[in-house]
Each structure stands twice: as C-alpha cells, then as structure tokens.
C-alpha cells in the first residue's frame, strides 16, 4: 500500500471497514454551557436531552411473550426518559441475527442477516445496555450471540482512527432465579470495554430470587420490583451511564491520542519502546 493509499484509508488496509462519519455525532456546540443549578429546582442541572440509549434484551422468549428482563429494562429506561434521554429497545431473539465474526454474514454464506441494520442502531446510541437472564449460572446464549456480533464489528474505525465503539458507554442488567448476577455482569462488562466502550462505576444491576426453583422477577409475590437493593443499583447504574455519556459527548468523544489504530498501522508508536533500539 502506498503512502497515498494508506492516507486515503485512514491507515487501515480495508476501506470497507471504515464507517460513515455521520454515525459519530460530536458533543455539544463549543459555546454550549452546563445548565445552571437554581435553588428553585436543582434537578434542572441534570438533563440529558442530547443523549440516546439502546437496550438490547437478550431474553430467550420471542415477542409477545412475557420477559422478566424487560421489567428491569423498563425501570432503567423510565429514569433515562425522565431526564430527556431518547431510548429504544431491541429484543434480539425477534431478529434473524446470523452467527459469525464478520459485520455482514450474508457475505460469508448466510442467506439473511439482520445484524447490519441492528448495528446501525447500536452506533446511533450514546449508551448501550445489554440485558439478559441467567441460565446455568451464566449469560444466556442470546447474550453471548449478541456480544459475538458486536465483536464482529470491532475492526471498524471511527473518523479519528480509533475503534468504532470509542466514545460510547456501556452497562448491563441481569435477571434470574439462581446465582450468577456478578459472574454474568463481569463477562458482559469485560467484553464491552474490550470492544472500546467506556464503563462507568457500578455499571451493572440485577435481581435473583432464592436459590433453587422459584418465582422470576415479574411473577406475583417475587418481591423483585420492590427490592431495594436491585432498585438502588439499577438507579445508580442508570445515572452513572448518563453522567459518563454526557461527559464524553461534551468532550467530543474519547481523547484521540495514543489509541488510534490507523496511526499505529502508519508507524506511529506513541512513546512505546522500540525493541529494535534497545
């Protein structure tokens, strides 16, 4: 590849893997100011009308079946909407998402693949929340499938030459009636940060019933929707996602220095020691 060709592709060898810059919306205008806090209504300072969030429900149940995970999503989404965030939801099992490790699996043997269209919705959001149930102490197969397809696009770059998910924040919600909330959250949050999402403090929440068979979150008498521990953690997670997403948006994304794949491929080493000159 010539220097001109490398420059034209932002340092990445496959032009096809670069995304439309319109997907990467910047922060507030340079002259924008933080909302003033007034004694009459201090809450006015915490509006997030310029943020968007997408929740991906990884339940095994297709619509319109009752999803207990949806009950926890609704609590978080309600808080976001009350603060001006535009929210949307995807029930993954309702879509024909092909398995695979490429952005569009119709180019690799599958007749259909709805993931490219869903990926556009993911990229249009400042906040991504993966939500799903526990099965055998682990994330559902649908959750793992969604993470695999998020990973399939991890080679894409933003206009700054960073990996495409930079500048976005991620969290997770877990439901079940057996142990495993922290284990499932650990796996999801590690995966999201590895792909490039920024993870705020306390970015997970969940509910589980007593050990063994028993009621699920939305079942009568489960105590799930009234559980103070779950409600507190869901609230903290939601606010931390909004706070961090707003910080990144107002900063026009994550700082683009020392983390640009395009620059690395072009030979820039960002002060990393060069073993050839030891």
């Amino acid at each position: 590849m010539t220097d001109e060709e490398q420059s034209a592709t932002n340092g990445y060898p496959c032009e096809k893997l670069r995304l439309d810059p319109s997907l990467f919306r910047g922060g507030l205008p340079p002259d924008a100011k933080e909302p003033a806090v007034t004694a009459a209504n201090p809450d006015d300072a915490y509006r997030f009308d310029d943020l968007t969030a997408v929740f991906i429900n990884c339940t095994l149940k297709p619509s319109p079946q009752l999803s207990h995970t949806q009950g926890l999503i609704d609590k978080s989404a309600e808080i976001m909407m009350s603060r001006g965030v535009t929210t949307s939801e995807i029930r993954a099992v309702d879509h024909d998402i092909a398995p695979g490790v490429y952005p569009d699996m119709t180019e690799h043997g599958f007749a259909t693949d709805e993931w490219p269209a869903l990926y556009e919705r993911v990229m249009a959001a400042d906040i991504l929340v993966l939500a799903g149930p526990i099965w055998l102490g682990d994330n559902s197969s649908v959750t793992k499938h969604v993470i695999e397809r998020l990973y399939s696009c991890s080679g894409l770059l933003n206009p700054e030459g960073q990996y495409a998910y930079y500048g976005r924040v991620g969290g997770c919600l877990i439901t079940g009636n057996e142990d495993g909330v922290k284990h499932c959250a650990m796996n999801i949050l590690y995966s999201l940060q590895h792909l490039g999402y920024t993870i705020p403090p306390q970015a997970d929440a969940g509910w589980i019933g007593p050990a063994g068979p028993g009621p699920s979150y939305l079942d009568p008498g489960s105590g799930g929707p009234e559980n103070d521990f779950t409600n507190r953690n869901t609230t903290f997670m939601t606010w931390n996602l909004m706070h961090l997403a707003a910080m990144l948006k107002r900063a026009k994304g994550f700082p683009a220095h020392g983390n640009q794949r395009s620059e690395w491929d072009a030979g820039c080493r960002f002060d990393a020691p060069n073993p050839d000159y030891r």
Side-chain angles (χ1 to χ4, degrees), residues 97 106 108 156 182 184 206 212 214:
I97 303 173
T106 63
H108 299 273
L156 307 181
K182 290 182 172 61
C184 291

Side-chain angles (χ1 to χ4, degrees), residues 211-230:
S216 295
Y217 182 73
L218 291 178
D219 287 338
S222 73
E226 299 79 36
N227 186 278
D228 184 71
F229 181 81
T230 296

Side-chain angles (χ1 to χ4, degrees), residues 13-26:
C14 182
E15 174 66 21
K16 185 176 181 181
L17 291 184
R18 295 184 63 236
L19 297 178
D20 182 350
S22 67
L23 293 174
F24 300 89
R25 298 171 302 175

